Short mmCIF file of all heavy atoms in Angstrom, two decimals:
data_model
loop_
_atom_site.label_atom_id
_atom_site.label_comp_id
_atom_site.label_asym_id
_atom_site.label_seq_id
_atom_site.Cartn_x
_atom_site.Cartn_y
_atom_site.Cartn_z
N MET A 1165 97.88 120.99 178.95
CA MET A 1165 98.53 121.13 180.26
C MET A 1165 98.29 119.88 181.10
O MET A 1165 97.16 119.41 181.22
CB MET A 1165 97.98 122.37 181.00
CG MET A 1165 98.69 122.63 182.33
SD MET A 1165 97.93 123.98 183.24
CE MET A 1165 98.36 125.40 182.23
N ARG A 1166 99.32 119.35 181.68
CA ARG A 1166 99.18 118.13 182.49
C ARG A 1166 98.31 118.38 183.70
O ARG A 1166 98.45 119.39 184.37
CB ARG A 1166 100.57 117.66 182.95
CG ARG A 1166 101.16 116.58 182.03
CD ARG A 1166 102.46 116.07 182.60
NE ARG A 1166 102.25 114.86 183.40
CZ ARG A 1166 103.15 114.41 184.27
NH1 ARG A 1166 104.27 115.05 184.45
NH2 ARG A 1166 102.92 113.31 184.94
N PHE A 1167 97.44 117.46 184.00
CA PHE A 1167 96.62 117.47 185.22
C PHE A 1167 95.59 118.59 185.24
O PHE A 1167 94.88 118.74 186.21
CB PHE A 1167 97.48 117.55 186.48
CG PHE A 1167 98.44 116.40 186.59
CD1 PHE A 1167 99.77 116.62 186.85
CD2 PHE A 1167 98.00 115.09 186.42
CE1 PHE A 1167 100.66 115.55 186.95
CE2 PHE A 1167 98.88 114.03 186.52
CZ PHE A 1167 100.21 114.25 186.78
N TYR A 1168 95.52 119.37 184.18
CA TYR A 1168 94.51 120.42 184.20
C TYR A 1168 93.22 119.85 183.63
O TYR A 1168 93.10 119.67 182.42
CB TYR A 1168 94.97 121.63 183.38
CG TYR A 1168 93.98 122.78 183.47
CD1 TYR A 1168 93.85 123.47 184.67
CD2 TYR A 1168 93.18 123.13 182.39
CE1 TYR A 1168 92.96 124.51 184.79
CE2 TYR A 1168 92.28 124.17 182.50
CZ TYR A 1168 92.16 124.86 183.70
OH TYR A 1168 91.26 125.89 183.81
N ASP A 1169 92.31 119.50 184.53
CA ASP A 1169 91.08 118.83 184.11
C ASP A 1169 89.93 119.27 185.01
O ASP A 1169 89.39 118.51 185.78
CB ASP A 1169 91.28 117.31 184.20
CG ASP A 1169 90.04 116.56 183.72
OD1 ASP A 1169 89.28 117.11 182.92
OD2 ASP A 1169 89.84 115.43 184.19
N PRO A 1170 89.56 120.56 184.95
CA PRO A 1170 88.55 121.11 185.87
C PRO A 1170 87.19 120.46 185.72
O PRO A 1170 86.38 120.47 186.64
CB PRO A 1170 88.51 122.60 185.49
CG PRO A 1170 89.04 122.65 184.10
CD PRO A 1170 90.06 121.54 184.00
N ASP A 1171 86.92 119.87 184.60
CA ASP A 1171 85.61 119.25 184.42
C ASP A 1171 85.62 117.78 184.76
O ASP A 1171 84.58 117.14 184.82
CB ASP A 1171 85.15 119.42 182.96
CG ASP A 1171 84.92 120.88 182.62
OD1 ASP A 1171 84.47 121.63 183.51
OD2 ASP A 1171 85.21 121.26 181.48
N GLY A 1172 86.79 117.24 185.02
CA GLY A 1172 86.88 115.85 185.39
C GLY A 1172 86.67 114.90 184.23
O GLY A 1172 86.38 113.73 184.42
N THR A 1173 86.79 115.39 183.03
CA THR A 1173 86.52 114.54 181.87
C THR A 1173 87.59 113.48 181.66
O THR A 1173 87.31 112.39 181.20
CB THR A 1173 86.43 115.40 180.59
OG1 THR A 1173 87.58 116.24 180.52
CG2 THR A 1173 85.17 116.26 180.61
N GLU A 1174 88.81 113.81 182.09
CA GLU A 1174 89.89 112.85 181.85
C GLU A 1174 90.16 111.95 183.03
O GLU A 1174 90.45 110.78 182.89
CB GLU A 1174 91.17 113.61 181.48
CG GLU A 1174 92.26 112.67 180.95
CD GLU A 1174 93.46 113.46 180.48
OE1 GLU A 1174 93.32 114.67 180.22
OE2 GLU A 1174 94.55 112.87 180.39
N TYR A 1175 90.05 112.52 184.25
CA TYR A 1175 90.41 111.75 185.44
C TYR A 1175 89.21 111.33 186.27
O TYR A 1175 89.34 110.73 187.32
CB TYR A 1175 91.37 112.55 186.33
CG TYR A 1175 92.67 112.85 185.63
CD1 TYR A 1175 92.89 114.08 185.04
CD2 TYR A 1175 93.66 111.87 185.54
CE1 TYR A 1175 94.08 114.36 184.39
CE2 TYR A 1175 94.85 112.13 184.89
CZ TYR A 1175 95.06 113.39 184.31
OH TYR A 1175 96.22 113.64 183.66
N GLY A 1176 88.01 111.72 185.86
CA GLY A 1176 86.83 111.32 186.61
C GLY A 1176 86.41 112.36 187.63
O GLY A 1176 85.23 112.58 187.85
N ILE A 1177 87.41 112.98 188.28
CA ILE A 1177 87.13 114.06 189.22
C ILE A 1177 87.91 115.29 188.77
O ILE A 1177 88.93 115.14 188.10
CB ILE A 1177 87.54 113.70 190.67
CG1 ILE A 1177 89.05 113.38 190.73
CG2 ILE A 1177 86.71 112.54 191.20
CD1 ILE A 1177 89.58 113.22 192.13
N PRO A 1178 87.44 116.46 189.13
CA PRO A 1178 88.18 117.68 188.76
C PRO A 1178 89.57 117.67 189.37
O PRO A 1178 89.73 117.44 190.55
CB PRO A 1178 87.34 118.81 189.36
CG PRO A 1178 85.98 118.22 189.52
CD PRO A 1178 86.21 116.75 189.82
N THR A 1179 90.56 117.88 188.57
CA THR A 1179 91.94 117.95 189.06
C THR A 1179 92.56 119.25 188.57
O THR A 1179 92.21 119.75 187.51
CB THR A 1179 92.78 116.77 188.56
OG1 THR A 1179 92.70 116.72 187.13
CG2 THR A 1179 92.29 115.48 189.15
N TYR A 1180 93.43 119.78 189.39
CA TYR A 1180 94.09 121.04 189.03
C TYR A 1180 95.57 120.96 189.36
O TYR A 1180 95.96 120.24 190.28
CB TYR A 1180 93.53 122.21 189.86
CG TYR A 1180 92.05 122.42 189.74
CD1 TYR A 1180 91.18 121.67 190.49
CD2 TYR A 1180 91.54 123.40 188.89
CE1 TYR A 1180 89.82 121.87 190.41
CE2 TYR A 1180 90.17 123.62 188.81
CZ TYR A 1180 89.32 122.85 189.56
OH TYR A 1180 87.98 123.05 189.49
N PRO A 1181 96.37 121.71 188.64
CA PRO A 1181 97.73 121.94 189.14
C PRO A 1181 97.59 122.70 190.44
O PRO A 1181 96.69 123.52 190.58
CB PRO A 1181 98.37 122.83 188.06
CG PRO A 1181 97.51 122.65 186.86
CD PRO A 1181 96.12 122.36 187.38
N LYS A 1182 98.47 122.43 191.42
CA LYS A 1182 98.30 122.99 192.76
C LYS A 1182 98.05 124.50 192.78
O LYS A 1182 97.19 125.00 193.47
CB LYS A 1182 99.53 122.68 193.62
CG LYS A 1182 99.30 121.47 194.51
CD LYS A 1182 100.47 121.25 195.42
CE LYS A 1182 100.22 120.00 196.29
NZ LYS A 1182 101.36 119.65 197.10
N ARG A 1183 98.82 125.24 192.02
CA ARG A 1183 98.73 126.70 192.11
C ARG A 1183 97.48 127.23 191.43
O ARG A 1183 97.13 128.40 191.61
CB ARG A 1183 99.98 127.35 191.51
CG ARG A 1183 100.22 126.96 190.07
CD ARG A 1183 101.61 127.40 189.62
NE ARG A 1183 101.93 126.87 188.29
CZ ARG A 1183 101.52 127.47 187.17
NH1 ARG A 1183 100.83 128.56 187.22
NH2 ARG A 1183 101.83 126.94 186.00
N LEU A 1184 96.78 126.38 190.70
CA LEU A 1184 95.57 126.84 190.03
C LEU A 1184 94.31 126.35 190.73
O LEU A 1184 93.21 126.65 190.31
CB LEU A 1184 95.55 126.36 188.57
CG LEU A 1184 96.59 127.03 187.67
CD1 LEU A 1184 96.44 126.51 186.24
CD2 LEU A 1184 96.44 128.55 187.68
N ALA A 1185 94.46 125.61 191.82
CA ALA A 1185 93.30 125.07 192.52
C ALA A 1185 92.44 126.20 193.07
O ALA A 1185 92.96 127.22 193.51
CB ALA A 1185 93.75 124.16 193.66
N PRO A 1186 91.13 126.03 193.04
CA PRO A 1186 90.24 127.04 193.60
C PRO A 1186 90.49 127.21 195.09
O PRO A 1186 90.93 126.29 195.76
CB PRO A 1186 88.84 126.46 193.37
CG PRO A 1186 89.01 125.41 192.34
CD PRO A 1186 90.40 124.90 192.49
N ASP A 1187 90.20 128.38 195.61
CA ASP A 1187 90.39 128.64 197.03
C ASP A 1187 89.66 127.59 197.85
O ASP A 1187 88.52 127.25 197.56
CB ASP A 1187 89.86 130.02 197.40
CG ASP A 1187 90.80 131.11 196.89
OD1 ASP A 1187 91.94 130.79 196.53
OD2 ASP A 1187 90.37 132.27 196.86
N GLY A 1188 90.31 127.12 198.89
CA GLY A 1188 89.67 126.15 199.77
C GLY A 1188 90.17 124.74 199.52
O GLY A 1188 90.44 124.01 200.46
N LEU A 1189 90.31 124.38 198.26
CA LEU A 1189 90.74 123.01 197.97
C LEU A 1189 92.20 122.80 198.31
O LEU A 1189 92.59 121.72 198.70
CB LEU A 1189 90.51 122.70 196.48
CG LEU A 1189 89.05 122.55 196.08
CD1 LEU A 1189 88.94 122.14 194.62
CD2 LEU A 1189 88.35 121.49 196.95
N ALA A 1190 93.01 123.84 198.16
CA ALA A 1190 94.44 123.71 198.41
C ALA A 1190 94.86 124.49 199.64
O ALA A 1190 96.01 124.80 199.80
CB ALA A 1190 95.23 124.17 197.20
N ALA A 1191 93.90 124.82 200.51
CA ALA A 1191 94.18 125.70 201.64
C ALA A 1191 95.13 125.09 202.69
O ALA A 1191 96.11 125.72 203.03
CB ALA A 1191 92.88 126.12 202.31
N PRO A 1192 94.82 123.87 203.20
CA PRO A 1192 95.64 123.36 204.32
C PRO A 1192 96.99 122.86 203.85
O PRO A 1192 97.28 121.68 203.93
CB PRO A 1192 94.80 122.24 204.90
CG PRO A 1192 94.00 121.76 203.74
CD PRO A 1192 93.75 122.95 202.85
N VAL A 1193 97.80 123.77 203.34
CA VAL A 1193 99.12 123.38 202.84
C VAL A 1193 100.12 123.27 203.98
O VAL A 1193 100.88 122.32 204.06
CB VAL A 1193 99.63 124.40 201.82
CG1 VAL A 1193 101.05 124.04 201.37
CG2 VAL A 1193 98.68 124.45 200.62
N ARG A 1194 100.09 124.28 204.90
CA ARG A 1194 101.06 124.30 205.98
C ARG A 1194 100.53 123.59 207.21
O ARG A 1194 99.55 124.03 207.80
CB ARG A 1194 101.39 125.75 206.34
CG ARG A 1194 102.80 126.14 205.90
CD ARG A 1194 103.08 127.58 206.22
NE ARG A 1194 102.34 128.47 205.31
CZ ARG A 1194 102.30 129.79 205.47
NH1 ARG A 1194 102.91 130.36 206.46
NH2 ARG A 1194 101.62 130.54 204.62
N PRO A 1195 101.11 122.49 207.63
CA PRO A 1195 100.66 121.79 208.84
C PRO A 1195 101.06 122.57 210.08
O PRO A 1195 102.05 123.30 210.07
CB PRO A 1195 101.39 120.46 208.78
CG PRO A 1195 102.65 120.77 208.01
CD PRO A 1195 102.28 121.85 207.02
N MET A 1196 100.27 122.41 211.13
CA MET A 1196 100.60 123.07 212.39
C MET A 1196 101.73 122.32 213.08
O MET A 1196 101.60 121.15 213.39
CB MET A 1196 99.37 123.11 213.30
CG MET A 1196 98.31 124.09 212.85
SD MET A 1196 98.84 125.81 212.87
CE MET A 1196 98.72 126.15 214.62
N THR A 1197 102.82 123.01 213.34
CA THR A 1197 103.95 122.39 214.04
C THR A 1197 103.76 122.58 215.53
O THR A 1197 103.00 123.45 215.95
CB THR A 1197 105.27 123.05 213.60
OG1 THR A 1197 105.25 124.41 214.02
CG2 THR A 1197 105.44 122.97 212.11
N PRO A 1198 104.44 121.78 216.37
CA PRO A 1198 104.34 121.95 217.83
C PRO A 1198 104.65 123.38 218.25
O PRO A 1198 104.02 123.92 219.16
CB PRO A 1198 105.40 120.98 218.36
CG PRO A 1198 105.49 119.92 217.31
CD PRO A 1198 105.26 120.64 216.00
N GLY A 1199 105.61 124.00 217.60
CA GLY A 1199 105.95 125.38 217.93
C GLY A 1199 104.82 126.33 217.66
O GLY A 1199 104.53 127.23 218.45
N ARG A 1200 104.12 126.10 216.56
CA ARG A 1200 103.00 126.98 216.23
C ARG A 1200 101.85 126.76 217.18
O ARG A 1200 101.15 127.68 217.55
CB ARG A 1200 102.55 126.75 214.78
CG ARG A 1200 103.61 127.15 213.77
CD ARG A 1200 103.11 126.98 212.37
NE ARG A 1200 102.10 127.98 212.05
CZ ARG A 1200 101.36 127.97 210.96
NH1 ARG A 1200 101.54 127.02 210.06
NH2 ARG A 1200 100.45 128.90 210.73
N TRP A 1201 101.63 125.49 217.59
CA TRP A 1201 100.57 125.21 218.56
C TRP A 1201 100.87 125.87 219.89
O TRP A 1201 100.00 126.40 220.56
CB TRP A 1201 100.41 123.70 218.76
CG TRP A 1201 99.53 123.07 217.73
CD1 TRP A 1201 99.85 122.07 216.85
CD2 TRP A 1201 98.14 123.38 217.46
NE1 TRP A 1201 98.77 121.77 216.06
CE2 TRP A 1201 97.71 122.54 216.41
CE3 TRP A 1201 97.24 124.29 218.01
CZ2 TRP A 1201 96.41 122.60 215.90
CZ3 TRP A 1201 95.94 124.34 217.51
CH2 TRP A 1201 95.56 123.50 216.47
N ARG A 1202 102.17 125.84 220.28
CA ARG A 1202 102.55 126.50 221.53
C ARG A 1202 102.23 127.98 221.47
O ARG A 1202 101.71 128.55 222.42
CB ARG A 1202 104.05 126.30 221.78
CG ARG A 1202 104.35 125.38 222.95
CD ARG A 1202 105.77 125.52 223.45
NE ARG A 1202 106.76 125.52 222.38
CZ ARG A 1202 107.24 124.43 221.79
NH1 ARG A 1202 106.82 123.25 222.18
NH2 ARG A 1202 108.13 124.50 220.84
N ALA A 1203 102.52 128.58 220.34
CA ALA A 1203 102.25 130.02 220.18
C ALA A 1203 100.75 130.28 220.27
O ALA A 1203 100.31 131.24 220.90
CB ALA A 1203 102.80 130.51 218.85
N VAL A 1204 99.98 129.41 219.65
CA VAL A 1204 98.52 129.59 219.66
C VAL A 1204 97.98 129.44 221.07
O VAL A 1204 97.18 130.24 221.55
CB VAL A 1204 97.83 128.57 218.73
CG1 VAL A 1204 96.33 128.56 218.97
CG2 VAL A 1204 98.14 128.90 217.27
N HIS A 1205 98.46 128.38 221.77
CA HIS A 1205 97.97 128.15 223.12
C HIS A 1205 98.38 129.27 224.07
O HIS A 1205 97.61 129.68 224.92
CB HIS A 1205 98.50 126.81 223.63
CG HIS A 1205 97.82 125.65 222.96
ND1 HIS A 1205 98.41 124.40 222.88
CD2 HIS A 1205 96.64 125.55 222.32
CE1 HIS A 1205 97.59 123.58 222.22
NE2 HIS A 1205 96.51 124.26 221.87
N ALA A 1206 99.60 129.76 223.89
CA ALA A 1206 100.06 130.86 224.74
C ALA A 1206 99.21 132.09 224.51
O ALA A 1206 98.84 132.82 225.44
CB ALA A 1206 101.53 131.17 224.44
N MET A 1207 98.85 132.33 223.26
CA MET A 1207 98.02 133.48 222.93
C MET A 1207 96.63 133.32 223.54
O MET A 1207 96.09 134.26 224.12
CB MET A 1207 97.92 133.61 221.41
CG MET A 1207 97.16 134.84 220.96
SD MET A 1207 96.95 134.85 219.16
CE MET A 1207 95.78 133.49 218.98
N MET A 1208 96.09 132.10 223.43
CA MET A 1208 94.75 131.88 223.97
C MET A 1208 94.74 132.00 225.49
O MET A 1208 93.81 132.52 226.09
CB MET A 1208 94.24 130.48 223.56
CG MET A 1208 94.00 130.32 222.08
SD MET A 1208 92.87 131.58 221.43
CE MET A 1208 91.34 131.06 222.21
N ARG A 1209 95.82 131.50 226.12
CA ARG A 1209 95.89 131.56 227.57
C ARG A 1209 96.01 133.03 228.02
O ARG A 1209 95.40 133.44 229.01
CB ARG A 1209 97.09 130.75 228.07
CG ARG A 1209 97.10 130.59 229.59
CD ARG A 1209 98.05 129.49 230.02
NE ARG A 1209 99.38 129.70 229.51
CZ ARG A 1209 100.00 128.93 228.63
NH1 ARG A 1209 99.38 127.86 228.19
NH2 ARG A 1209 101.20 129.18 228.21
N ALA A 1210 96.76 133.81 227.27
CA ALA A 1210 96.91 135.22 227.61
C ALA A 1210 95.57 135.93 227.54
O ALA A 1210 95.27 136.81 228.35
CB ALA A 1210 97.91 135.88 226.66
N ARG A 1211 94.75 135.52 226.59
CA ARG A 1211 93.45 136.16 226.43
C ARG A 1211 92.50 135.75 227.53
O ARG A 1211 91.47 136.38 227.75
CB ARG A 1211 92.85 135.80 225.06
CG ARG A 1211 93.60 136.43 223.89
CD ARG A 1211 92.99 136.02 222.59
NE ARG A 1211 91.59 136.44 222.49
CZ ARG A 1211 90.78 136.11 221.51
NH1 ARG A 1211 91.22 135.36 220.51
NH2 ARG A 1211 89.53 136.53 221.48
N ARG A 1212 92.82 134.64 228.22
CA ARG A 1212 91.93 134.16 229.29
C ARG A 1212 92.46 134.54 230.66
O ARG A 1212 91.88 134.16 231.67
CB ARG A 1212 91.79 132.63 229.19
CG ARG A 1212 90.97 132.18 228.00
CD ARG A 1212 90.68 130.69 228.01
NE ARG A 1212 91.87 129.89 227.70
CZ ARG A 1212 92.51 129.14 228.59
NH1 ARG A 1212 92.08 129.09 229.82
NH2 ARG A 1212 93.56 128.45 228.23
N THR A 1213 93.60 135.23 230.71
CA THR A 1213 94.20 135.60 231.98
C THR A 1213 93.95 137.06 232.29
O THR A 1213 94.25 137.94 231.49
CB THR A 1213 95.72 135.33 231.96
OG1 THR A 1213 95.94 133.97 231.62
CG2 THR A 1213 96.33 135.64 233.31
N CYS A 1214 93.39 137.31 233.48
CA CYS A 1214 93.11 138.69 233.88
C CYS A 1214 94.43 139.40 234.17
O CYS A 1214 95.24 138.90 234.94
CB CYS A 1214 92.21 138.69 235.11
SG CYS A 1214 91.93 140.36 235.77
N PRO A 1215 94.65 140.55 233.56
CA PRO A 1215 95.89 141.28 233.78
C PRO A 1215 95.98 141.87 235.19
O PRO A 1215 97.06 142.24 235.66
CB PRO A 1215 95.85 142.39 232.72
CG PRO A 1215 94.39 142.58 232.44
CD PRO A 1215 93.76 141.22 232.62
N ASP A 1216 94.85 141.95 235.88
CA ASP A 1216 94.84 142.57 237.21
C ASP A 1216 95.05 141.55 238.31
O ASP A 1216 95.88 141.74 239.20
CB ASP A 1216 93.51 143.29 237.43
CG ASP A 1216 93.42 144.54 236.56
OD1 ASP A 1216 94.48 145.09 236.21
OD2 ASP A 1216 92.30 144.95 236.24
N CYS A 1217 94.29 140.44 238.29
CA CYS A 1217 94.40 139.45 239.35
C CYS A 1217 95.15 138.20 238.91
O CYS A 1217 95.36 137.29 239.71
CB CYS A 1217 93.01 139.09 239.89
SG CYS A 1217 91.93 138.31 238.68
N GLN A 1218 95.54 138.15 237.60
CA GLN A 1218 96.35 137.05 237.07
C GLN A 1218 95.63 135.71 237.13
O GLN A 1218 96.27 134.67 237.08
CB GLN A 1218 97.69 136.95 237.81
CG GLN A 1218 98.51 138.23 237.71
CD GLN A 1218 98.89 138.57 236.29
OE1 GLN A 1218 99.30 137.70 235.54
NE2 GLN A 1218 98.70 139.82 235.88
N VAL A 1219 94.31 135.73 237.29
CA VAL A 1219 93.55 134.50 237.30
C VAL A 1219 93.26 134.08 235.86
O VAL A 1219 92.86 134.92 235.06
CB VAL A 1219 92.23 134.66 238.08
CG1 VAL A 1219 91.33 133.43 237.91
CG2 VAL A 1219 92.52 134.90 239.56
N THR A 1220 93.50 132.79 235.55
CA THR A 1220 93.20 132.29 234.22
C THR A 1220 91.81 131.66 234.21
O THR A 1220 91.54 130.75 234.98
CB THR A 1220 94.24 131.25 233.77
OG1 THR A 1220 95.53 131.85 233.80
CG2 THR A 1220 93.95 130.75 232.37
N PHE A 1221 90.95 132.17 233.35
CA PHE A 1221 89.57 131.70 233.31
C PHE A 1221 89.38 130.70 232.19
O PHE A 1221 90.27 130.47 231.37
CB PHE A 1221 88.64 132.89 233.09
CG PHE A 1221 88.63 133.84 234.26
CD1 PHE A 1221 89.58 134.85 234.35
CD2 PHE A 1221 87.69 133.71 235.27
CE1 PHE A 1221 89.60 135.72 235.43
CE2 PHE A 1221 87.70 134.58 236.35
CZ PHE A 1221 88.65 135.59 236.43
N ASN A 1222 88.21 130.09 232.17
CA ASN A 1222 87.88 129.15 231.10
C ASN A 1222 87.31 129.86 229.89
O ASN A 1222 87.00 129.25 228.89
CB ASN A 1222 86.87 128.10 231.60
CG ASN A 1222 87.50 127.17 232.62
OD1 ASN A 1222 88.66 126.79 232.48
ND2 ASN A 1222 86.74 126.78 233.62
N HIS A 1223 87.15 131.16 230.02
CA HIS A 1223 86.65 131.96 228.90
C HIS A 1223 87.56 133.17 228.75
O HIS A 1223 88.31 133.52 229.66
CB HIS A 1223 85.20 132.41 229.17
CG HIS A 1223 85.05 133.12 230.49
ND1 HIS A 1223 85.33 134.45 230.65
CD2 HIS A 1223 84.68 132.65 231.71
CE1 HIS A 1223 85.12 134.77 231.92
NE2 HIS A 1223 84.73 133.70 232.58
N VAL A 1224 87.49 133.81 227.59
CA VAL A 1224 88.38 134.94 227.36
C VAL A 1224 87.92 136.14 228.17
O VAL A 1224 86.74 136.29 228.47
CB VAL A 1224 88.43 135.31 225.86
CG1 VAL A 1224 88.98 134.15 225.05
CG2 VAL A 1224 87.05 135.73 225.37
N ILE A 1225 88.86 136.98 228.54
CA ILE A 1225 88.55 138.21 229.26
C ILE A 1225 87.84 139.16 228.29
O ILE A 1225 88.32 139.38 227.18
CB ILE A 1225 89.85 138.88 229.75
CG1 ILE A 1225 90.62 137.94 230.67
CG2 ILE A 1225 89.53 140.20 230.46
CD1 ILE A 1225 89.90 137.60 231.95
N PRO A 1226 86.71 139.71 228.71
CA PRO A 1226 86.00 140.67 227.84
C PRO A 1226 86.91 141.85 227.50
O PRO A 1226 87.42 142.52 228.41
CB PRO A 1226 84.81 141.11 228.69
CG PRO A 1226 84.63 140.03 229.71
CD PRO A 1226 86.01 139.49 229.97
N THR A 1227 87.12 142.07 226.21
CA THR A 1227 88.01 143.16 225.82
C THR A 1227 87.41 144.51 226.18
O THR A 1227 88.14 145.48 226.36
CB THR A 1227 88.28 143.11 224.31
OG1 THR A 1227 87.04 143.08 223.63
CG2 THR A 1227 89.10 141.89 223.95
N SER A 1228 86.10 144.55 226.35
CA SER A 1228 85.46 145.81 226.72
C SER A 1228 85.78 146.18 228.16
O SER A 1228 85.79 147.36 228.52
CB SER A 1228 83.94 145.71 226.53
OG SER A 1228 83.42 144.64 227.30
N LEU A 1229 86.06 145.17 228.99
CA LEU A 1229 86.40 145.43 230.38
C LEU A 1229 87.91 145.58 230.56
O LEU A 1229 88.38 146.38 231.37
CB LEU A 1229 85.89 144.29 231.28
CG LEU A 1229 84.38 144.12 231.35
CD1 LEU A 1229 84.03 142.92 232.23
CD2 LEU A 1229 83.70 145.37 231.88
N GLY A 1230 88.67 144.77 229.83
CA GLY A 1230 90.12 144.82 229.97
C GLY A 1230 90.59 144.00 231.15
O GLY A 1230 91.79 143.90 231.42
N CYS A 1231 89.66 143.46 231.92
CA CYS A 1231 90.00 142.61 233.05
C CYS A 1231 88.81 141.71 233.31
O CYS A 1231 87.79 141.84 232.66
CB CYS A 1231 90.33 143.45 234.30
SG CYS A 1231 88.99 144.56 234.80
N CYS A 1232 88.92 140.81 234.29
CA CYS A 1232 87.83 139.90 234.55
C CYS A 1232 86.67 140.67 235.21
O CYS A 1232 86.88 141.74 235.80
CB CYS A 1232 88.28 138.75 235.44
SG CYS A 1232 88.61 139.21 237.15
N PRO A 1233 85.45 140.15 235.10
CA PRO A 1233 84.29 140.84 235.68
C PRO A 1233 84.47 141.11 237.17
O PRO A 1233 84.00 142.13 237.68
CB PRO A 1233 83.14 139.85 235.44
CG PRO A 1233 83.57 139.08 234.24
CD PRO A 1233 85.07 138.95 234.34
N GLY A 1234 85.15 140.23 237.87
CA GLY A 1234 85.39 140.43 239.29
C GLY A 1234 86.19 141.69 239.55
O GLY A 1234 85.85 142.50 240.42
N CYS A 1235 87.25 141.89 238.79
CA CYS A 1235 88.08 143.08 238.96
C CYS A 1235 87.32 144.31 238.49
O CYS A 1235 87.45 145.39 239.08
CB CYS A 1235 89.38 142.93 238.16
SG CYS A 1235 90.51 141.72 238.87
N ALA A 1236 86.53 144.14 237.42
CA ALA A 1236 85.78 145.28 236.90
C ALA A 1236 84.74 145.74 237.92
O ALA A 1236 84.41 146.93 237.98
CB ALA A 1236 85.11 144.89 235.59
N ASP A 1237 84.24 144.79 238.72
CA ASP A 1237 83.21 145.13 239.69
C ASP A 1237 83.78 145.70 240.97
O ASP A 1237 83.08 146.35 241.75
CB ASP A 1237 82.37 143.88 240.03
CG ASP A 1237 81.41 143.53 238.90
OD1 ASP A 1237 81.19 144.43 238.04
OD2 ASP A 1237 80.90 142.41 238.88
N SER A 1238 85.05 145.43 241.23
CA SER A 1238 85.63 145.90 242.49
C SER A 1238 86.95 146.63 242.26
O SER A 1238 88.01 146.16 242.67
CB SER A 1238 85.83 144.72 243.45
OG SER A 1238 86.64 143.75 242.82
N PRO A 1239 86.91 147.76 241.58
CA PRO A 1239 88.14 148.53 241.35
C PRO A 1239 88.73 149.08 242.63
O PRO A 1239 89.91 149.37 242.71
CB PRO A 1239 87.68 149.66 240.42
CG PRO A 1239 86.21 149.79 240.69
CD PRO A 1239 85.73 148.41 241.05
N VAL A 1240 87.91 149.20 243.67
CA VAL A 1240 88.38 149.75 244.94
C VAL A 1240 89.39 148.79 245.57
O VAL A 1240 90.39 149.20 246.14
CB VAL A 1240 87.19 149.98 245.90
CG1 VAL A 1240 87.70 150.53 247.23
CG2 VAL A 1240 86.20 150.95 245.26
N ALA A 1241 89.11 147.48 245.44
CA ALA A 1241 89.98 146.49 246.04
C ALA A 1241 91.39 146.57 245.44
O ALA A 1241 92.38 146.30 246.10
CB ALA A 1241 89.40 145.09 245.84
N LEU A 1242 91.46 146.92 244.15
CA LEU A 1242 92.75 147.02 243.50
C LEU A 1242 93.54 148.21 244.05
O LEU A 1242 94.75 148.14 244.22
CB LEU A 1242 92.57 147.19 241.99
CG LEU A 1242 92.24 145.91 241.22
CD1 LEU A 1242 91.94 146.24 239.78
CD2 LEU A 1242 93.39 144.94 241.31
N ALA A 1243 92.82 149.29 244.32
CA ALA A 1243 93.50 150.50 244.77
C ALA A 1243 94.05 150.33 246.17
O ALA A 1243 95.02 151.00 246.54
CB ALA A 1243 92.53 151.68 244.72
N ALA A 1244 93.43 149.43 246.91
CA ALA A 1244 93.83 149.28 248.30
C ALA A 1244 95.21 148.66 248.41
O ALA A 1244 95.63 147.93 247.55
CB ALA A 1244 92.82 148.42 249.06
ZN1 ZN B 813 90.70 139.93 237.61
#
């Protein structure tokens, strides 16, 4: 089989046909496109934005609270 040389005896380093490469070696096949980065950033920003006060933080909103600590501490202010 062409290029099948897992021991590196023929080419000096282990070489594989792409579909037979061990996990990890052939992982980064799909490059991140600007569109995919936009989706990732939008998702990250959503996770950092409080659904109650709409403030975007530098850290993600605790999923256990469902809102920022400020809103979690003052639910009365929201009701007002
Ligand atoms: Zn909040």
